[in-house]
Amino acid sequence: MRFRRPGAAPAADDAADPARGIELRGVGHRYGERVVLDGIDLTLTEARVGVVGANGSGKSTLARLLNGLVVPTEGRVLVDGLDTRTQVRAVRRRVGFVFQDPDAQIVHPTVAEDVAYGLENQGVPPGERAARVAEVLARYGLAGHADHPAHLLSGGQKQLLAIAGVLVMRPARVVFDEPTTLLDLINARRVADVIAGLEQQVVVVTHQLDLLDGFDRVLVVDGGRVVEDAAPGPAVAAYRALMALR
Ligand SMILES: Nc1ncnc2c1ncn2[C@@H]1O[C@H](COP(=O)(O)OP(=O)(O)OP(=O)(O)O)[C@@H](O)[C@H]1O
Ligand SMILES: [Mg+2]
C-alpha cells in the first residue's frame, strides 16, 4: 500500500491527469426551455469513440461539450480532470474540434496562413511555425497548395485543411463532427485513413457507419440520451433497429 508523503499537496485543481480521459457527470443541456441532453454519465478513455443517432438527437451538442464549445446547463464535463466550465482555455488546448462544415473553420486567405493561425495563437515562434505548417501540409497532400486561396480548395481539400489546422496544434484528443458527410468516396476514405492513423484519442460523430469499423466504442444517442454504449457491431445493430421502428 502506498501513502501520500506528509506535506505532499494533493494535485492542484488545474493539474491535468490524462489517465482520466473525458468524463461527463450528470450532464444535461437545455437551449432555453428545450432539453436536448439529459442524464449523461460517461467516461471516455478509449482511443476511438463513435457517436451515432438520428438528426436532432443531440450528437453535435454532446460533441461540443467535450471541448467546452458548449458548457452543460447541468452537471460537469471534465477533460483530463479539467472542468470545461472553469478551465476552458486549458481544455481547448487539449481537445481539438473539427467542424462538419470546413468553411466554419477556415478563416485565413491562404492555406498556409490558415494552418499557421492556431500556432501563432499558441505563441509558437515563427521558425518552428513554418516547419510545422510545411510538415502538416505535406502529410495531408496540401503542400502544393500552401500559397493558394483557401476558399478555392475543393470540398475535400477544405476538409483536409480544417483537419490539418487542428492537428498541427497537437491536441491530445480530437473531436470530429461528421467529418465525411460532404465528401465523395475518395475523400471520405482519405479522411477515414487520416482518422485511423492518428495517435490521439478521437471522438467521431457520423452518419457514415462504416467509418466506425475498428472503433473501440460506439454511443447511440436518441432523444438526448445515450441509449446504447457498446462495440461498433452491437451498437450499430441497435441503432438500425431503433431507426427501423420510426
Ligand atoms: N444553438 C442552439 N439553439 C437552440 N437549439 C439548438 C441549438 N443547437 C441545437 N439545437 C437543438 O438541439 C437539438 C439537438 O441538436 P444537435 O445539433 O445536437 O443534433 P444532432 O444530433 O447533431 O443532429 P444532426 O444529425 O442533424 O447533426 C435539436 O433539436 C436542435 O434544434
Ligand atoms: Mg450534428
Side-chain angles (χ1 to χ4, degrees):
M1 183 153 175
R2 301 179 64 191
F3 296 91
R4 196 191 295 282
R5 254 185 305 121
D13 278 345
D14 62 352
D17 176 4
R20 290 180 63 172
I22 301 177
E23 300 164 271
L24 293 88
R25 299 280 167 255
V27 165
H29 194 67
R30 267 180 287 108
Y31 290 114
E33 293 292 293
R34 190 181 166 82
V35 177
V36 295
L37 290 175
D38 191 28
I40 311 257
D41 282 286
L42 292 168
T43 302
L44 306 175
T45 53
E46 296 79 4
R48 297 290 178 264
V49 179
V51 181
V52 298
N55 294 134
S57 57
K59 304 179 300 300
S60 290
T61 306
L62 178 64
R64 285 164 185 236
L65 288 171
L66 306 183
N67 81 333
L69 279 170
V70 170
V71 173
T73 52
E74 252 181 80
R76 302 210 299 161
V77 178
L78 306 170
V79 175
D80 301 336
L82 306 175
D83 193 318
T84 61
R85 183 172 280 116
T86 53
Q87 289 159 296
V88 71
R89 281 170 63 91
V91 166
R92 294 264 179 93
R93 271 197 299 275
R94 287 170 174 276
V95 187
F97 194 96
V98 180
F99 290 86
Q100 174 184 353
D101 174 8
D103 286 324
Q105 202 146 342
I106 295 171
V107 290
H108 281 260
T110 73
V111 167
E113 284 170 332
D114 197 70
V115 173
Y117 167 70
L119 294 178
E120 213 174 315
N121 265 352
Q122 279 185 352
V124 175
E128 184 188 338
R129 212 149 72 201
R132 279 170 66 176
V133 168
E135 190 246 346
V136 83
L137 290 182
R139 183 145 28 107
Y140 295 112
L142 293 168
H145 298 278
D147 298 321
H148 292 180
H151 73 278
L152 293 184
L153 294 177
S154 76
Q157 289 170 330
K158 282 184 187 173
Q159 188 75 67
L160 290 168
L161 173 60
I163 293 171
V166 170
L167 295 183
V168 76
M169 295 191 280
R170 301 178 182 160
R173 307 169 192 281
V174 189
V175 179
F176 293 88
D177 193 357
E178 299 195 33
T180 60
T181 303
L182 300 173
L183 302 184
D184 69 27
L185 288 177
I186 293 170
N187 277 318
R189 167 131 32 89
R190 188 177 286 172
V191 169
D193 288 347
V194 164
I195 290 172
L198 293 176
E199 293 167 3
Q200 286 102 324
Q201 184 192 32
V202 168
V203 178
V204 183
V205 175
T206 188
H207 294 293
Q208 192 198 323
L209 301 177
D210 57 4
L211 195 58
L212 305 173
D213 290 348
F215 271 45
D216 302 301
R217 180 175 179 186
V218 174
L219 311 173
V220 181
V221 177
D222 195 50
R225 291 179 169 271
V226 175
V227 297
E228 185 65 74
D229 178 351
V236 167
Y239 174 48
R240 286 187 197 284
L242 192 65
M243 293 301 102
L245 294 174
R246 308 255 154 104

